[in-house]
Amino acid sequence: QVQLVESGGGLVQAGGSLRLSCADSGRTFSTYTMGWFRQAPGKEREFVATITWNGGSTYYADSVKGRFTISRDNAKNTVYLQMNSLKPEDTAVYFCAASVLWRHPVAGQIPPSAAYEYPYWGQGTQVTVSS
């Protein structure tokens, strides 16, 4: 059973940083690909980043590449999203999610970046970036 709880959201000025955490209370965290998504008011849920079960491969949306970093600590059952150089357009509710896909990445394979590819979700944490 996967039970995900996000934390670390808040209000920050443009150009600032936040680190989101997502902890799993289950016993199988290390077997899942973990992703971060976000949803702004009136918009569809949007892919942000994903990381393989062992942290060996990562993949980012173009909109956050170079500013956000996804990482994980399997000993702590936690995945992180370090967000730097934040912009007002990064304002959204951020969700972590778990997938059974992308366990053994191969060249040319598209990492899971659609919401339907992640069956397990946290409740979300609000990130607000002021201008």
Side-chain angles (χ1 to χ4, degrees):
Q1 186 76 14
V2 179
Q3 295 181 317
L4 304 174
V5 178
E6 301 95 335
S7 61
L11 174 65
V12 64
Q13 288 188 331
S17 299
L18 280 176
R19 188 176 82 154
L20 306 183
S21 299
C22 171
D24 175 26
S25 60
R27 297 184 176 183
T28 57
F29 175 82
S30 63
T31 67
Y32 288 96
T33 292
M34 297 300 298
W36 284 97
F37 288 75
R38 65 187 182 186
Q39 189 166 17
K43 295 188 176 181
E44 293 187 354
R45 196 162 295 190
E46 175 189 29
F47 169 76
V48 175
T50 188
I51 187 168
T52 49
W53 65 277
N54 62 354
S57 296
T58 57
Y59 179 68
Y60 297 90
D62 287 343
S63 58
V64 306
K65 201 173 296 183
R67 300 188 298 123
F68 291 9
T69 302
I70 188 171
S71 63
R72 68 189 297 162
D73 184 341
N74 286 343
K76 296 182 178 179
N77 280 11
T78 302
V79 62
Y80 304 98
L81 186 68
Q82 177 67 44
M83 305 186 295
N84 299 328
S85 302
L86 282 161
K87 305 174 182 180
E89 51 263 44
D90 294 319
T91 294
V93 177
Y94 283 71
F95 300 88
C96 69
S99 174
V100 298
L101 302 176
W102 209 38
R103 283 191 53 79
H104 303 287
V106 297
Q109 181 182 11
I110 299 175
S113 57
Y116 71 85
E117 295 178 297
Y118 292 79
Y120 306 105
W121 291 81
Q123 84 290 347
T125 185
Q126 176 71 47
V127 172
T128 303
V129 185
S130 63
S131 57

